[in-house]
Amino acid sequence: MTIKVFYLDDLSASRRLAGRLASTLKTGDILAFEGGLGSGKTEFCRAIIHAIGYREDVPSPTFNLLQIYEPSVDDLTMPAVWHMDLYRLEKPQDVYELGIEDGFDTAISLIEWPDRMAGHLPDGHLSVSLSMSEKEGARNIIFEGDDYWNDRLKELED
Ligand SMILES: Nc1ncnc2c1ncn2[C@@H]1O[C@H](COP(=O)(O)OP(=O)(O)OP(=O)(O)O)[C@@H](O)[C@H]1O
Ligand SMILES: [Mg+2]
C-alpha cells in the first residue's frame, strides 16, 4: 500500500527527509529504491548513511555493486549499512555472489535498482520511489510497504 507521498523542493529537502527516515531505521530493514537514472536514489542513500553516523565519503556503488559501512569497535551502537546498486547485475541470481542475504539480517540494506534481482527481493521491504518533478531540482517520493511499515512511518514528516 502507499504509505506516504512527499514533494521535495530541492536536494536539501531530500537530505532532510532522509535524515528523518534514518533515525527510524534499524538492523534488518530493507529499503528498495526505484526511479530512473539521476532521480536521486544515491543522494538519498548517501544522506541516510551520513545521518546514521558514518562520516566517510559515500560513493555510488556503480561498479562494485555493494559498499559496506560498519561501525568502528568504539561505537558498536551504530547499525551496519549495506548499500547496493544492482544496475549492472547481469542475472538476478548473481546477487548471491555478493552475499546479499547476510546483510538482510545483520545490516540496514539500501538497494538501488532492486528490479535487477527480480524475485529475490524479500517481502517486507520498504519501497521508496523517486521521480523528477517539473521544477528543476525537485523530486517526488513515494513510500510503499505493508502494515508493519505503515505503522513505523506514521510519524514521518517531510
Ligand atoms: N531534490 C533532489 N534530490 C536528489 N537529487 C537531486 C535533487 N535535485 C537535484 N538532484 C541532483 O540529481 C542527481 C541525482 O543523482 P543520483 O546519483 O542520486 O541519482 P540516482 O537515482 O542514484 O541515479 P543512478 O540510477 O544513476 O544511480 C544529483 O546530481 C543531484 O545533485
Ligand atoms: Mg545511484
Side-chain angles (χ1 to χ4, degrees):
M1 76 180 94
T2 302
I3 298 174
K4 295 261 172 174
V5 179
F6 297 116
Y7 169 77
L8 303 165
D9 198 45
D10 54 18
L11 182 55
S12 51
S14 295
R15 288 182 176 147
R16 255 191 328 266
L17 180 64
R20 290 218 175 85
L21 177 64
S23 66
T24 72
L25 297 178
K26 52 184 167 55
T27 297
D29 288 345
I30 300 171
L31 276 59
F33 289 85
E34 331 250 359
L37 294 167
S39 58
K41 302 180 294 298
T42 300
E43 288 286 4
F44 204 87
C45 292
R46 181 176 290 132
I48 289 176
I49 293 164
H50 284 151
I52 285 171
Y54 291 99
R55 302 214 170 144
E56 56 260 54
D57 284 346
V58 175
S60 174
T62 311
F63 297 104
N64 43 342
L65 308 192
L66 167 66
Q67 192 75 42
I68 292 178
Y69 299 86
E70 278 173 334
S72 61
V73 277
D74 29 274
D75 191 4
L76 291 170
T77 55
M78 249 154 69
V81 179
W82 286 33
H83 180 200
M84 283 153 270
D85 179 344
L86 303 181
Y87 188 74
R88 288 183 162 74
L89 196 73
E90 287 185 9
K91 298 191 289 310
Q93 62 269 32
D94 289 353
V95 284
Y96 296 107
E97 285 166 28
L98 298 173
I100 190 165
E101 68 279 22
D102 296 334
F104 291 155
D105 298 330
T106 61
I108 295 169
S109 297
L110 307 177
I111 309 174
E112 298 183 45
W113 294 99
D115 55 307
R116 298 295 196 270
M117 65 190 287
H120 302 290
L121 181 66
D123 294 339
H125 64 272
L126 176 70
S127 166
V128 184
S129 303
L130 280 145
S131 60
M132 306 269 184
S133 179
E134 271 152 47
K135 192 194 134 196
E136 198 188 325
R139 301 288 187 268
N140 297 302
I141 190 165
I142 304 173
F143 293 94
E144 291 167 284
D146 55 16
D147 288 339
Y148 171 73
W149 278 108
N150 193 39
D151 285 349
R152 282 187 53 188
L153 297 189
K154 258 197 298 240
E155 314 291 326
L156 186 67
E157 287 170 19
D158 66 357

